[in-house]
Amino acid sequence: MSTTVGPQQSASSAPRSRGVARALPGLALGAAVSAAALGFNRWVPSLSPLLVAIVVGATLANTGRVGARLEPGLAVASRRLLRLGVALLGLQLALGDVLRLGWGVIAAVVAVVTLGIAGGVVVGRLLGLSRSQTLLIAGGFSICGAAAAAAVDGVIESEDDELVTSVALVVLFGTAMIPLLPLAAGWIGLAPVQAGMWAGASIHEVAQVVAASDVIGSSALAVGVVVKLGRVLMLAPVLALIGLAERRRAGESGAGTSGDGSAAEESAGGGRGGRPPLVPLFVVGFVALMALRTTGVLPTGVLSLAKWGETALLTIAMFALGTGVRVASLRRVGPRPFVLAAATTVWVAVVALGGILLAT
């Protein structure tokens, strides 16, 4: 019995195949850069492949080597692949590891995230920055850097330049903290374990925490990473709260779905062009995978493979975001985002230090 493809099916599949073909060059370049960055990371473990990818992307963009042919694939990488990578972050988190830190340190982590975002929002308003730019910087700097900023971008309406600016600032200020925090910890007289906790509670990216903790010493490394993952754990509830606030704002302004199928796009985590989702699908995936990791049923080999996949996806996405980092654009945004980034970095570090000292 033969089957035939009707004209409607052919018409719908043709644009889809053309879209895939258009995305291939950008995705292929992103995959190549990701492979190179991951290989470089094996040679220099303290250097995050995500940061390498951002720098490569920004370098290519500012030397005029990112043409229109690459843009469709880069757009897919900076949205869909990034959200998939954020969801896979859940497999890094086992609730038992975080609970073993003790309730004092857990309270300090919660304080860092909540007070960090609140303080960033206040400073952003005082500086006259847009609400979206403020939330991207405050959320990224308070939780887990570029991945958090991109996750926040998934539940709010923001401009592409605003996300790119936030990611660039995460790289700049988080990298600066790698040598500065160990120096400050030594000057204050913190024990290595306390210094590692401070690094995990205040530095933006996981890889930056690893680099700074490694400078402090081996006893600081493990505890620093676990404290940092405790901050990553806050990603899901923070995004749910932001999503709820966005839905209320959209409802008050009379925004809604257009009735032409845009609701499906909203549920995918976009939120653009309609009422934002309460909890985007990638956040649901993050929570589900975290719960799965906590059960302990997954073998080490699967977790290692998932970790590699998550890093590869986020590296491709960071390369794509890096291609949007244009020097001319950063000049155009002016000094205010830099001031907010500096103020949020200092504020988060101060709250983290106070919390760790009280907890230990």
Side-chain angles (χ1 to χ4, degrees):
M1 181 177 176
S2 63
T3 59
T4 58
V5 179
Q8 187 174 5
Q9 290 176 289
S10 299
S12 63
S13 60
R16 189 179 299 116
S17 62
R18 284 198 296 270
V20 171
R22 284 197 299 268
L24 282 178
L27 290 175
L29 179 60
V33 171
S34 176
L38 289 168
F40 192 75
N41 174 252
R42 291 177 68 87
W43 183 39
V44 186
S46 62
L47 198 55
S48 164
L50 277 67
L51 300 183
V52 171
I54 291 172
V55 171
V56 172
T59 302
L60 292 180
N62 285 280
T63 54
R65 306 193 179 192
V66 178
R69 185 165 170 264
L70 300 174
E71 289 178 359
L74 296 176
V76 171
S78 65
R79 296 282 183 191
R80 298 182 184 180
L81 297 190
L82 190 144
R83 289 170 182 163
L84 182 56
V86 170
L88 285 174
L89 269 173
L91 286 176
Q92 287 192 44
L93 295 170
L95 283 176
D97 293 339
V98 177
L99 292 175
R100 277 191 287 274
L101 291 171
W103 291 110
V105 176
I106 292 172
V109 167
V110 173
V112 165
V113 174
T114 54
L115 294 178
I117 293 175
V121 168
V122 170
V123 175
R125 286 177 180 171
L126 292 175
L127 291 170
L129 285 170
S130 68
R131 180 174 180 273
S132 51
Q133 181 73 88
T134 298
L135 282 174
L136 290 173
I137 293 175
F141 281 46
S142 300
I143 306 175
C144 58
V152 171
D153 181 65
V155 295
I156 67 173
E157 294 284 353
S158 66
E159 301 294 331
D160 289 342
D161 281 354
E162 292 178 330
L163 176 58
V164 166
T165 299
S166 302
V167 170
L169 292 173
V170 163
V171 174
L172 178 63
F173 283 88
T175 302
M177 289 186 75
I178 294 173
L180 290 179
L181 188 136
L183 287 173
W187 180 71
I188 295 170
L190 296 180
V193 170
Q194 288 178 311
M197 288 181 177
W198 188 27
S202 58
I203 298 179
H204 311 324
E205 293 275 353
V206 174
Q208 294 164 348
V209 171
V210 171
S213 299
D214 190 56
V215 171
I216 296 166
S218 57
S219 60
L221 183 56
V223 70
V225 171
V226 175
V227 170
K228 179 61 182 177
L229 293 180
R231 287 168 69 195
V232 176
L233 181 61
M234 294 290 291
L235 184 63
V238 167
L239 291 179
L241 290 173
I242 293 175
L244 179 60
E246 289 297 300
R247 286 175 68 88
R248 286 178 176 169
R249 282 170 55 85
E252 290 170 0
S253 64
T257 57
S258 61
D260 59 0
S262 61
E265 291 182 1
E266 294 168 28
S267 64
R272 284 166 168 71
R275 199 175 185 190
L278 177 57
V279 181
L281 286 180
F282 72 91
V283 179
V284 175
F286 174 91
V287 174
L289 291 176
M290 181 185 66
L292 181 61
R293 167 66 188 271
T294 302
T295 64
V297 300
L298 294 177
T300 302
V302 171
L303 292 175
S304 298
L305 182 61
K307 169 62 179 170
W308 178 87
E310 167 250 310
T311 304
L313 288 170
L314 289 179
T315 303
I316 296 173
M318 290 303 117
F319 167 72
L321 290 174
T323 61
V325 178
R326 311 293 173 110
V327 173
S329 298
L330 291 176
R331 286 179 184 150
R332 217 167 32 242
V333 301
R336 291 181 299 169
F338 291 84
V339 174
L340 175 58
T344 306
T345 297
V346 172
W347 173 237
V348 166
V350 169
V351 173
L353 178 60
I356 294 304
L357 289 176
L358 287 173
T360 58

